[in-house]
Amino acid sequence: MKRIEIATLIQSEEFGKEVIVMGWVRTVRISKNVAFIALNDGSCLKNAQIVADLSVIEPTVFDRIHTGTSLKIVGKLVESIGKEQINEVHATAIDVLGEANPDHYPIQPKKHSLEFLRENAHLRFRTNLFGAINRVRHHMIFAIHKYFNDRGFYNIHTPIITASDCEGAGEMFHVTTLNLNNIPKTQTGAVDWSQDFFGRETNLTVSGQLEAELAALALSKVYTFGPTFRAENSNTSRHLAEFWMIEPEVAFSDIHDNMDLAEDMLKYLVQYALDHCAEDIEFLEQRLINEEKSKPQNERSTMTLRQKLRFVLDNTFERLTYSEAIEILKNSPDQKKNKFVYPIKEWGADLQSEHERYLVEKHFKKPVILTDYPKEIKAFYMKQNPDGKTVAAMDVLFPQIGEIIGGSQREENYDKLLQRINELGMSKKTLWWYLDTRRFGTVVHSGFGLGFERLMLFITGMGNIRDVIPFPRTPKSAEF
Ligand code: ATP
Ligand code: MN
């Protein structure tokens, strides 16, 4: 007989049927004649309710059963009189598969802090919270592929090791096989990368965009969904050194089509979560309510998790230019009352997440898409506007998160692109292949990057990006 998964088991009304259930003990409670075990196998949030009559099951076996112990239960499915579940399993045999000594097993049936669970990331999957987060994460990954597949996009694997710096920010991890204790040098004393594995300087990619563009200029509609790496030493709750990014790239598409795509995709993903992760979302919503209670009144969110998700679904995203946003921010009560940590000084400043959140949460009370940023604060490949000062960039701003998507129409004009590359002192030589697409059959095209973990923060209502990826990589932290 095969094991039945708990997600299936808890819905079954085949009372009287013999079943085999396996999983990890969440709680065990023993009274005089009977023992109750809540067993979880991760297939869903809920536990199977196991009832063991101590005249049927040898009582000494319970000396070995604690939270975290893995068990195989053979038993009979019985209708439950409890309100919590429709059935329970009356055990006829209990096999202890693996013990978990309660003196050493760190995950106990009580509230653990998120910090503690991060230090025990190898076992935090076994909590209700991390089970829920990781199931939602899976559904979101699947939904992203489904969204694009249903709309005729092709998934492209772009390289993880590259020789170019797409964002020009220089926050990259080197990839090398050089002996770090004896680095070969050129005559001028610089590192001699020609002796390295690839015969040149290479790094982990910060974005798959440049290569995705090459594919889009042939397959029309493509997307990447891969790991990206940024060695930015920013210890914030929104930045990881290793994160996953979704990057669609579309030929014959301008910045307006690009905004439509971003808004449609985000709404689709939020709706998908509500439709396919109802139980876990409800659990996460309750967690958020409890957490809000511990905050001072004036810092509490007025929306529940599902209200926040609906906030995205029910509103048309507000679209305005960066310049308009700067005016709003400059004249805002928050600016005048000195509430911003970084007050807005003048046109040209990069926006901080406090400004982005102000626009979304206080001013417009809906998600916002800002366009036409100053070219100085954006990457070289963005389409230059006729004003000579701005580029056709678009950032999508969300409540709680700030920037969730960054994108743009791309500069398709060879001369203008080359001029910008030169202005920025970038190497034309390493980008020859990128420039070639503007020499041969160039077309208007656009794309964007959605940080997958930023999306996960929003969908789960978690506050720290370290908790929505199974194994976070951040400065000074790469355990597990
Ligand atoms: P930020 O200003 O928030 O650092 P960015 O402007 O550097 O973002 P982009 O280079 O436009 O971001 O990257 C596209 C998207 O990738 C962002 O909108 C965000 O969702 C996500 N992202 C960027 N950096 C990180 C990071 N370090 N960790 C997680 N997600 C990130
Ligand atoms: Mn950044």
Side-chain angles (χ1 to χ4, degrees), residues 3-33:
R3 136 184 196 240
I4 181 169
E5 288 182 20
I6 291 173
T8 312
L9 175 96
I10 57 169
Q11 297 182 37
S12 174
E13 293 184 18
E14 289 182 79
F15 306 124
K17 189 184 170 186
E18 185 172 68
V19 291
I20 296 177
V21 197
M22 300 190 202
W24 294 266
V25 174
R26 281 296 161 80
T27 57
V28 52
R29 186 160 54 85
I30 305 168
S31 68
K32 225 160 111 203
N33 309 314

mmCIF file of all heavy atoms in Angstrom, residues 3-33:
data_model
loop_
_atom_site.group_PDB
_atom_site.id
_atom_site.type_symbol
_atom_site.label_atom_id
_atom_site.label_comp_id
_atom_site.label_asym_id
_atom_site.label_seq_id
_atom_site.Cartn_x
_atom_site.Cartn_y
_atom_site.Cartn_z
ATOM 1 N N ARG A 3 1.740 5.338 0.528
ATOM 2 C CA ARG A 3 1.477 6.434 1.453
ATOM 3 C C ARG A 3 0.505 7.431 0.829
ATOM 4 O O ARG A 3 0.577 7.705 -0.365
ATOM 5 C CB ARG A 3 2.827 7.092 1.762
ATOM 6 C CG ARG A 3 2.833 8.564 1.750
ATOM 7 C CD ARG A 3 4.206 9.160 1.971
ATOM 8 N NE ARG A 3 4.008 10.554 2.305
ATOM 9 C CZ ARG A 3 4.484 11.588 1.611
ATOM 10 N NH1 ARG A 3 5.235 11.386 0.559
ATOM 11 N NH2 ARG A 3 4.210 12.812 1.971
ATOM 12 N N ILE A 4 -0.377 7.966 1.640
ATOM 13 C CA ILE A 4 -1.265 9.032 1.164
ATOM 14 C C ILE A 4 -0.736 10.357 1.697
ATOM 15 O O ILE A 4 -0.355 10.469 2.868
ATOM 16 C CB ILE A 4 -2.736 8.785 1.587
ATOM 17 C CG1 ILE A 4 -3.650 9.897 1.058
ATOM 18 C CG2 ILE A 4 -2.899 8.646 3.092
ATOM 19 C CD1 ILE A 4 -5.147 9.586 1.212
ATOM 20 N N GLU A 5 -0.675 11.363 0.824
ATOM 21 C CA GLU A 5 -0.186 12.672 1.278
ATOM 22 C C GLU A 5 -1.256 13.367 2.097
ATOM 23 O O GLU A 5 -2.450 13.214 1.847
ATOM 24 C CB GLU A 5 0.224 13.522 0.073
ATOM 25 C CG GLU A 5 1.509 12.999 -0.530
ATOM 26 C CD GLU A 5 2.007 13.825 -1.699
ATOM 27 O OE1 GLU A 5 1.598 14.995 -1.817
ATOM 28 O OE2 GLU A 5 2.807 13.281 -2.477
ATOM 29 N N ILE A 6 -0.805 14.161 3.035
ATOM 30 C CA ILE A 6 -1.751 14.733 3.998
ATOM 31 C C ILE A 6 -2.716 15.716 3.324
ATOM 32 O O ILE A 6 -3.884 15.787 3.695
ATOM 33 C CB ILE A 6 -0.984 15.348 5.195
ATOM 34 C CG1 ILE A 6 -0.344 14.195 5.989
ATOM 35 C CG2 ILE A 6 -1.900 16.174 6.097
ATOM 36 C CD1 ILE A 6 0.584 14.592 7.113
ATOM 37 N N ALA A 7 -2.254 16.424 2.279
ATOM 38 C CA ALA A 7 -3.151 17.333 1.553
ATOM 39 C C ALA A 7 -4.367 16.572 1.009
ATOM 40 O O ALA A 7 -5.481 17.094 0.988
ATOM 41 C CB ALA A 7 -2.403 18.014 0.409
ATOM 42 N N THR A 8 -4.157 15.347 0.572
ATOM 43 C CA THR A 8 -5.252 14.511 0.066
ATOM 44 C C THR A 8 -6.026 13.892 1.224
ATOM 45 O O THR A 8 -7.254 13.885 1.240
ATOM 46 C CB THR A 8 -4.687 13.372 -0.824
ATOM 47 O OG1 THR A 8 -3.756 13.949 -1.746
ATOM 48 C CG2 THR A 8 -5.782 12.649 -1.569
ATOM 49 N N LEU A 9 -5.275 13.392 2.181
ATOM 50 C CA LEU A 9 -5.879 12.698 3.324
ATOM 51 C C LEU A 9 -6.925 13.548 4.030
ATOM 52 O O LEU A 9 -8.043 13.084 4.302
ATOM 53 C CB LEU A 9 -4.778 12.307 4.315
ATOM 54 C CG LEU A 9 -5.294 11.690 5.614
ATOM 55 C CD1 LEU A 9 -5.258 10.173 5.525
ATOM 56 C CD2 LEU A 9 -4.539 12.170 6.824
ATOM 57 N N ILE A 10 -6.586 14.802 4.327
ATOM 58 C CA ILE A 10 -7.482 15.609 5.170
ATOM 59 C C ILE A 10 -8.802 15.934 4.482
ATOM 60 O O ILE A 10 -9.727 16.402 5.118
ATOM 61 C CB ILE A 10 -6.804 16.923 5.650
ATOM 62 C CG1 ILE A 10 -6.318 17.745 4.449
ATOM 63 C CG2 ILE A 10 -5.673 16.644 6.621
ATOM 64 C CD1 ILE A 10 -5.890 19.154 4.827
ATOM 65 N N GLN A 11 -8.874 15.699 3.176
ATOM 66 C CA GLN A 11 -10.131 15.959 2.463
ATOM 67 C C GLN A 11 -10.954 14.699 2.239
ATOM 68 O O GLN A 11 -12.062 14.759 1.716
ATOM 69 C CB GLN A 11 -9.832 16.592 1.099
ATOM 70 C CG GLN A 11 -9.152 17.937 1.241
ATOM 71 C CD GLN A 11 -8.899 18.570 -0.119
ATOM 72 O OE1 GLN A 11 -9.703 18.451 -1.020
ATOM 73 N NE2 GLN A 11 -7.768 19.234 -0.242
ATOM 74 N N SER A 12 -10.383 13.564 2.619
ATOM 75 C CA SER A 12 -11.022 12.287 2.284
ATOM 76 C C SER A 12 -12.205 11.975 3.208
ATOM 77 O O SER A 12 -12.154 12.182 4.416
ATOM 78 C CB SER A 12 -9.986 11.159 2.372
ATOM 79 O OG SER A 12 -10.635 9.916 2.191
ATOM 80 N N GLU A 13 -13.255 11.458 2.591
ATOM 81 C CA GLU A 13 -14.404 10.995 3.387
ATOM 82 C C GLU A 13 -14.584 9.492 3.242
ATOM 83 O O GLU A 13 -15.663 8.956 3.491
ATOM 84 C CB GLU A 13 -15.671 11.747 2.954
ATOM 85 C CG GLU A 13 -15.578 13.217 3.323
ATOM 86 C CD GLU A 13 -16.850 14.006 2.998
ATOM 87 O OE1 GLU A 13 -17.908 13.393 2.807
ATOM 88 O OE2 GLU A 13 -16.757 15.236 2.936
ATOM 89 N N GLU A 14 -13.512 8.813 2.838
ATOM 90 C CA GLU A 14 -13.584 7.346 2.707
ATOM 91 C C GLU A 14 -13.377 6.708 4.074
ATOM 92 O O GLU A 14 -12.382 6.011 4.317
ATOM 93 C CB GLU A 14 -12.511 6.856 1.726
ATOM 94 C CG GLU A 14 -12.804 7.220 0.284
ATOM 95 C CD GLU A 14 -11.730 6.672 -0.648
ATOM 96 O OE1 GLU A 14 -11.777 5.465 -0.952
ATOM 97 O OE2 GLU A 14 -10.835 7.434 -1.040
ATOM 98 N N PHE A 15 -14.320 6.974 4.947
ATOM 99 C CA PHE A 15 -14.188 6.476 6.315
ATOM 100 C C PHE A 15 -14.168 4.953 6.330
ATOM 101 O O PHE A 15 -14.887 4.309 5.573
ATOM 102 C CB PHE A 15 -15.334 7.017 7.178
ATOM 103 C CG PHE A 15 -15.442 8.522 7.114
ATOM 104 C CD1 PHE A 15 -16.629 9.130 6.740
ATOM 105 C CD2 PHE A 15 -14.337 9.324 7.418
ATOM 106 C CE1 PHE A 15 -16.727 10.513 6.668
ATOM 107 C CE2 PHE A 15 -14.429 10.708 7.343
ATOM 108 C CZ PHE A 15 -15.612 11.302 6.964
ATOM 109 N N GLY A 16 -13.311 4.397 7.175
ATOM 110 C CA GLY A 16 -13.180 2.953 7.258
ATOM 111 C C GLY A 16 -12.010 2.420 6.453
ATOM 112 O O GLY A 16 -11.539 1.313 6.652
ATOM 113 N N LYS A 17 -11.494 3.252 5.559
ATOM 114 C CA LYS A 17 -10.390 2.828 4.693
ATOM 115 C C LYS A 17 -9.067 2.767 5.469
ATOM 116 O O LYS A 17 -8.816 3.592 6.349
ATOM 117 C CB LYS A 17 -10.269 3.836 3.555
ATOM 118 C CG LYS A 17 -9.327 3.422 2.456
ATOM 119 C CD LYS A 17 -9.211 4.528 1.421
ATOM 120 C CE LYS A 17 -8.089 4.197 0.452
ATOM 121 N NZ LYS A 17 -7.831 5.266 -0.487
ATOM 122 N N GLU A 18 -8.224 1.795 5.134
ATOM 123 C CA GLU A 18 -6.896 1.744 5.759
ATOM 124 C C GLU A 18 -5.940 2.662 4.997
ATOM 125 O O GLU A 18 -5.953 2.695 3.756
ATOM 126 C CB GLU A 18 -6.354 0.321 5.756
ATOM 127 C CG GLU A 18 -5.022 0.259 6.510
ATOM 128 C CD GLU A 18 -4.499 -1.155 6.737
ATOM 129 O OE1 GLU A 18 -4.126 -1.807 5.738
ATOM 130 O OE2 GLU A 18 -4.451 -1.584 7.906
ATOM 131 N N VAL A 19 -5.139 3.421 5.741
ATOM 132 C CA VAL A 19 -4.210 4.362 5.099
ATOM 133 C C VAL A 19 -2.811 4.280 5.731
ATOM 134 O O VAL A 19 -2.659 3.835 6.869
ATOM 135 C CB VAL A 19 -4.700 5.836 5.225
ATOM 136 C CG1 VAL A 19 -5.935 6.083 4.382
ATOM 137 C CG2 VAL A 19 -4.942 6.207 6.684
ATOM 138 N N ILE A 20 -1.831 4.707 4.958
ATOM 139 C CA ILE A 20 -0.478 4.888 5.491
ATOM 140 C C ILE A 20 -0.141 6.373 5.386
ATOM 141 O O ILE A 20 -0.271 6.967 4.313
ATOM 142 C CB ILE A 20 0.567 4.077 4.696
ATOM 143 C CG1 ILE A 20 0.291 2.586 4.839
ATOM 144 C CG2 ILE A 20 1.978 4.427 5.174
ATOM 145 C CD1 ILE A 20 1.228 1.709 4.021
ATOM 146 N N VAL A 21 0.239 6.982 6.482
ATOM 147 C CA VAL A 21 0.603 8.401 6.493
ATOM 148 C C VAL A 21 2.026 8.537 7.029
ATOM 149 O O VAL A 21 2.402 7.851 7.979
ATOM 150 C CB VAL A 21 -0.322 9.215 7.435
ATOM 151 C CG1 VAL A 21 -0.215 10.697 7.128
ATOM 152 C CG2 VAL A 21 -1.750 8.759 7.338
ATOM 153 N N MET A 22 2.803 9.401 6.406
ATOM 154 C CA MET A 22 4.163 9.663 6.908
ATOM 155 C C MET A 22 4.363 11.158 7.057
ATOM 156 O O MET A 22 3.798 11.939 6.290
ATOM 157 C CB MET A 22 5.200 9.103 5.949
ATOM 158 C CG MET A 22 5.071 7.604 5.746
ATOM 159 S SD MET A 22 6.475 6.949 4.851
ATOM 160 C CE MET A 22 5.750 5.455 4.204
ATOM 161 N N GLY A 23 5.179 11.524 8.019
ATOM 162 C CA GLY A 23 5.428 12.955 8.200
ATOM 163 C C GLY A 23 6.213 13.223 9.457
ATOM 164 O O GLY A 23 6.810 12.303 10.050
ATOM 165 N N TRP A 24 6.228 14.490 9.842
ATOM 166 C CA TRP A 24 6.969 14.929 11.023
ATOM 167 C C TRP A 24 5.992 15.400 12.079
ATOM 168 O O TRP A 24 5.033 16.113 11.756
ATOM 169 C CB TRP A 24 7.939 16.054 10.664
ATOM 170 C CG TRP A 24 9.015 15.581 9.746
ATOM 171 C CD1 TRP A 24 10.249 15.124 10.109
ATOM 172 C CD2 TRP A 24 8.958 15.482 8.320
ATOM 173 N NE1 TRP A 24 10.958 14.745 8.994
ATOM 174 C CE2 TRP A 24 10.186 14.951 7.878
ATOM 175 C CE3 TRP A 24 7.977 15.774 7.362
ATOM 176 C CZ2 TRP A 24 10.469 14.724 6.539
ATOM 177 C CZ3 TRP A 24 8.241 15.548 6.024
ATOM 178 C CH2 TRP A 24 9.480 15.031 5.623
ATOM 179 N N VAL A 25 6.261 15.022 13.313
ATOM 180 C CA VAL A 25 5.365 15.364 14.415
ATOM 181 C C VAL A 25 5.430 16.863 14.694
ATOM 182 O O VAL A 25 6.515 17.426 14.845
ATOM 183 C CB VAL A 25 5.753 14.585 15.692
ATOM 184 C CG1 VAL A 25 4.924 15.050 16.891
ATOM 185 C CG2 VAL A 25 5.610 13.090 15.457
ATOM 186 N N ARG A 26 4.283 17.498 14.702
ATOM 187 C CA ARG A 26 4.211 18.909 15.123
ATOM 188 C C ARG A 26 3.983 18.969 16.629
ATOM 189 O O ARG A 26 4.680 19.649 17.357
ATOM 190 C CB ARG A 26 3.082 19.627 14.383
ATOM 191 C CG ARG A 26 3.446 20.033 12.963
ATOM 192 C CD ARG A 26 4.586 21.070 12.985
ATOM 193 N NE ARG A 26 5.266 21.186 11.724
ATOM 194 C CZ ARG A 26 4.818 21.877 10.681
ATOM 195 N NH1 ARG A 26 3.676 22.489 10.754
ATOM 196 N NH2 ARG A 26 5.524 21.943 9.584
ATOM 197 N N THR A 27 2.964 18.250 17.087
ATOM 198 C CA THR A 27 2.735 18.173 18.534
ATOM 199 C C THR A 27 2.289 16.767 18.878
ATOM 200 O O THR A 27 1.737 16.046 18.038
ATOM 201 C CB THR A 27 1.623 19.144 18.978
ATOM 202 O OG1 THR A 27 0.439 18.842 18.256
ATOM 203 C CG2 THR A 27 2.011 20.593 18.732
ATOM 204 N N VAL A 28 2.547 16.384 20.113
ATOM 205 C CA VAL A 28 2.067 15.097 20.610
ATOM 206 C C VAL A 28 1.531 15.323 22.025
ATOM 207 O O VAL A 28 2.132 16.050 22.813
ATOM 208 C CB VAL A 28 3.165 14.009 20.559
ATOM 209 C CG1 VAL A 28 4.429 14.486 21.231
ATOM 210 C CG2 VAL A 28 2.688 12.705 21.168
ATOM 211 N N ARG A 29 0.375 14.725 22.274
ATOM 212 C CA ARG A 29 -0.283 14.922 23.569
ATOM 213 C C ARG A 29 -0.766 13.549 24.028
ATOM 214 O O ARG A 29 -1.455 12.848 23.278
ATOM 215 C CB ARG A 29 -1.455 15.889 23.379
ATOM 216 C CG ARG A 29 -2.184 16.324 24.606
ATOM 217 C CD ARG A 29 -2.952 17.618 24.318
ATOM 218 N NE ARG A 29 -3.839 17.483 23.153
ATOM 219 C CZ ARG A 29 -5.076 16.994 23.217
ATOM 220 N NH1 ARG A 29 -5.585 16.594 24.358
ATOM 221 N NH2 ARG A 29 -5.822 16.886 22.115
ATOM 222 N N ILE A 30 -0.357 13.159 25.224
ATOM 223 C CA ILE A 30 -0.723 11.818 25.700
ATOM 224 C C ILE A 30 -1.571 11.945 26.960
ATOM 225 O O ILE A 30 -1.178 12.634 27.914
ATOM 226 C CB ILE A 30 0.551 10.986 26.018
ATOM 227 C CG1 ILE A 30 1.448 10.953 24.775
ATOM 228 C CG2 ILE A 30 0.179 9.574 26.440
ATOM 229 C CD1 ILE A 30 2.836 10.432 25.035
ATOM 230 N N SER A 31 -2.728 11.304 26.940
ATOM 231 C CA SER A 31 -3.513 11.247 28.176
ATOM 232 C C SER A 31 -3.513 9.801 28.649
ATOM 233 O O SER A 31 -2.733 8.991 28.169
ATOM 234 C CB SER A 31 -4.919 11.786 27.930
ATOM 235 O OG SER A 31 -5.609 10.906 27.079
ATOM 236 N N LYS A 32 -4.375 9.460 29.550
ATOM 237 C CA LYS A 32 -4.310 8.147 30.188
ATOM 238 C C LYS A 32 -4.436 6.992 29.193
ATOM 239 O O LYS A 32 -3.609 6.093 29.165
ATOM 240 C CB LYS A 32 -5.419 8.052 31.245
ATOM 241 C CG LYS A 32 -4.899 7.449 32.545
ATOM 242 C CD LYS A 32 -5.803 7.797 33.699
ATOM 243 C CE LYS A 32 -6.529 6.564 34.189
ATOM 244 N NZ LYS A 32 -7.768 6.918 34.903
ATOM 245 N N ASN A 33 -5.450 7.074 28.331
ATOM 246 C CA ASN A 33 -5.711 5.931 27.458
ATOM 247 C C ASN A 33 -5.424 6.174 25.985
ATOM 248 O O ASN A 33 -5.484 5.262 25.186
ATOM 249 C CB ASN A 33 -7.188 5.522 27.566
ATOM 250 C CG ASN A 33 -7.599 5.345 29.001
ATOM 251 O OD1 ASN A 33 -6.877 4.701 29.771
ATOM 252 N ND2 ASN A 33 -8.730 5.935 29.378
#
